[in-house]
């Protein structure tokens, strides 16, 4: 059982200067790099809170990221300031609000680049399949708890619906026509190693998100053949843990284009190759939105998606 309510933990901040390997060829920082920093800050503060009272030790695992908008590009040489604070706790989950500022250290100018809401669940260190109870927090006003409870119920319902909404995977097509779904669809296969994982043997959520953004970026670049940047990410749902030693397939395909943007669906499937008792399963899913930019950073029109064959689907595990 949980003990008495604890004071809401103070917000934490992590800072890092953006290096050339964090960015694309145009100098814009990859959306996946920013998502990874957001998750790191969220994991720190939620794990601290979940271990703030006497009881079984645990680690906070990412379950969901709400829609994240990329309000302004971040560039090489700027410093990212990532701030995280806990805004709500349920019996088994923690809501964390994260803000990202970029700082030009030559001029001192700061600008807001991202705001995100993340949900974590505490997993026992003795058994990472066991979800523990979260210490409650003290709210400064009653409305905060009521508003948080509404957000919790909404995200829980959507996460359950998303898990079963789409069981297909992306398959390659020979000689696809330009600007069709098959022409730009891409997949990345990655063997999960120790550097991808927590000390307890499952993949950091930020690592998964970075790989998802990388695949989505390849799809967008293939479709436009220009410089592209992440504009927003719809809710990222983590349906199941990915363990060390799994082979994961991250697949992306174009689902919609407007005159100014592209929507790309990204699916992550895990194959426990060293465990014959478990079949391939869907680990995460999300929709990314990208925009096309000129060399001067001005928005460019997006080629329209051409209807055509090239979207053969297959259920995971077949």
């Amino acid at each position: 059982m949980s003990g008495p309510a604890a004071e809401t933990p103070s917000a934490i901040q992590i800072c890092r200067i953006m290096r050339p390997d964090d960015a694309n060829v145009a100098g814009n920082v990859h959306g996946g790099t920013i998502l990874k920093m957001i998750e790191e800050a969220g994991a720190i503060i939620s794990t601290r809170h979940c271990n703030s009272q006497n009881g079984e030790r645990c680690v906070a695992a990412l379950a969901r990221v709400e829609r994240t908008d990329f309000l302004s590009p971040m560039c090489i040489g700027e410093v990212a300031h990532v701030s995280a604070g806990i805004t709500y706790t349920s019996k088994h989950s923690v809501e964390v609000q994260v803000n990202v500022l970029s700082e030009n250290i030559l001029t001192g100018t700061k600008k807001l680049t991202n705001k995100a809401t993340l949900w974590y669940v505490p997993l026992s260190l003795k058994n990472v399949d066991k979800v523990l109870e979260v210490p409650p927090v003290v709210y400064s006003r009653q409305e905060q708890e009521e508003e948080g409870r509404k957000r919790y119920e909404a995200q829980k319902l959507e996460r359950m619906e998303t898990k079963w909404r789409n069981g297909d995977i992306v398959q390659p097509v020979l000689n696809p026509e330009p600007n069709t779904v098959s022409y730009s669809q891409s997949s990345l296969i990655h063997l999960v190693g120790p550097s991808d994982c927590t000390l307890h043997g499952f993949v950091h959520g930020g690592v998964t998100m970075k790989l998802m953004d990388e695949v989505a970026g390849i799809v967008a670049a293939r479709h436009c053949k220009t410089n592209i940047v992440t504009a927003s990410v719809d809710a990222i749902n983590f349906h199941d843990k990915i363990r060390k030693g799994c082979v994961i397939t991250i697949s992306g395909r174009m689902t919609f284009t407007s005159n100014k943007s592209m929507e790309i669906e990204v699916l992550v499937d895990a194959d426990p190759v060293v465990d014959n008792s478990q079949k391939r399963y869907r680990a995460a899913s999300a929709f990314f939105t990208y925009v096309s930019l000129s060399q001067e950073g001005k928005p460019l029109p997006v080629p329209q998606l051409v209807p055509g064959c090239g979207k053969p689907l297959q259920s995971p595990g077949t």
Side-chain angles (χ1 to χ4, degrees):
M1 295 295 291
S2 298
E7 292 293 334
T8 304
S10 300
I12 67 163
Q13 184 176 97
I14 58 177
C15 304
R16 184 163 73 80
I17 193 166
M18 296 294 97
R19 304 182 301 268
D21 58 344
D22 294 316
N24 62 19
V25 292
N28 302 122
V29 173
H30 293 295
T33 299
I34 297 172
L35 288 170
K36 189 172 184 290
M37 291 189 294
I38 287 173
E39 196 279 329
E40 288 172 351
I44 291 170
I45 196 168
S46 53
T47 298
R48 279 181 178 172
H49 176 70
C50 291
N51 289 283
S52 61
Q53 297 184 355
N54 293 330
E56 193 170 345
R57 299 295 93 182
C58 62
V59 60
L62 183 63
R64 176 180 167 90
V65 181
E66 303 291 356
R67 177 182 172 90
T68 304
D69 291 308
F70 290 74
L71 306 173
S72 180
M74 194 178 298
C75 301
I76 295 171
E78 293 184 330
V79 174
H81 299 264
V82 186
S83 302
I86 291 177
T87 49
Y88 176 75
T89 59
S90 70
K91 185 177 181 180
H92 294 294
S93 65
V94 181
E95 180 190 53
V96 179
Q97 178 69 47
V98 180
N99 295 328
V100 183
L101 295 174
S102 66
E103 177 191 6
N104 184 319
I105 55 177
L106 300 180
T107 65
T109 303
K110 291 184 179 181
K111 56 187 177 182
L112 179 68
T113 62
N114 301 85
K115 296 180 70 174
T117 301
L118 301 86
W119 293 89
Y120 288 84
V121 294
L123 305 180
S124 168
L125 295 186
K126 297 178 180 179
N127 177 9
V128 293
D129 293 320
K130 178 184 177 183
V131 179
L132 301 180
E133 291 191 15
V134 175
V137 296
V138 175
Y139 301 95
S140 59
R141 54 188 177 86
Q142 185 177 358
E143 291 79 4
Q144 285 181 316
E145 183 174 10
E146 295 172 353
E147 292 165 359
R149 185 179 296 110
K150 290 179 182 178
R151 296 193 300 270
Y152 166 74
E153 295 295 341
Q155 66 85 28
K156 182 179 179 182
L157 179 61
E158 185 175 339
R159 183 152 47 96
M160 292 179 65
E161 289 176 347
T162 304
K163 183 174 183 178
W164 305 111
R165 183 183 62 199
N166 192 349
D168 52 77
I169 60 175
V170 179
Q171 293 289 343
V173 173
L174 294 176
N175 302 318
E177 297 182 5
N179 295 337
T180 60
V181 172
S182 300
Y183 185 78
S184 59
Q185 70 182 31
S186 304
S187 294
L188 183 154
I189 298 175
H190 179 74
L191 174 63
V192 175
S195 63
D196 300 318
C197 298
T198 68
L199 296 176
H200 316 293
F202 59 89
V203 176
H204 289 285
V207 171
T208 304
M209 290 193 292
K210 192 172 187 297
L211 291 170
M212 294 173 79
D213 179 76
E214 182 177 333
V215 169
I218 293 171
V219 173
R222 280 180 168 172
H223 183 76
C224 291
K225 302 189 184 303
T226 60
N227 177 36
I228 50 87
V229 295
T230 314
S232 66
V233 185
D234 282 1
I236 304 176
N237 290 291
F238 292 83
H239 308 302
D240 209 339
K241 295 185 294 297
I242 303 172
R243 297 181 184 275
K244 182 172 61 179
C246 282
V247 172
I248 55 174
T249 303
I250 306 98
S251 303
R253 62 184 172 203
M254 195 78 63
T255 53
F256 175 77
T257 58
S258 68
N259 187 46
K260 296 182 179 180
S261 65
M262 301 157 275
E263 180 189 70
I264 298 158
E265 181 182 31
V266 181
L267 308 172
V268 181
D269 294 305
D271 188 1
V273 292
V274 296
D275 184 1
N276 294 328
S277 65
Q278 190 174 10
K279 297 181 179 179
R280 180 186 179 116
Y281 61 92
R282 175 66 36 82
S285 59
F287 287 89
F288 287 69
T289 300
Y290 277 77
V291 293
S292 174
L293 299 178
S294 67
Q295 292 183 349
E296 295 75 30
K298 302 293 184 181
L300 292 174
V302 172
Q304 294 304 288
L305 194 61
V306 175
C309 62
K311 194 179 176 184
L313 307 176
Q314 181 179 344
S315 297
T318 61

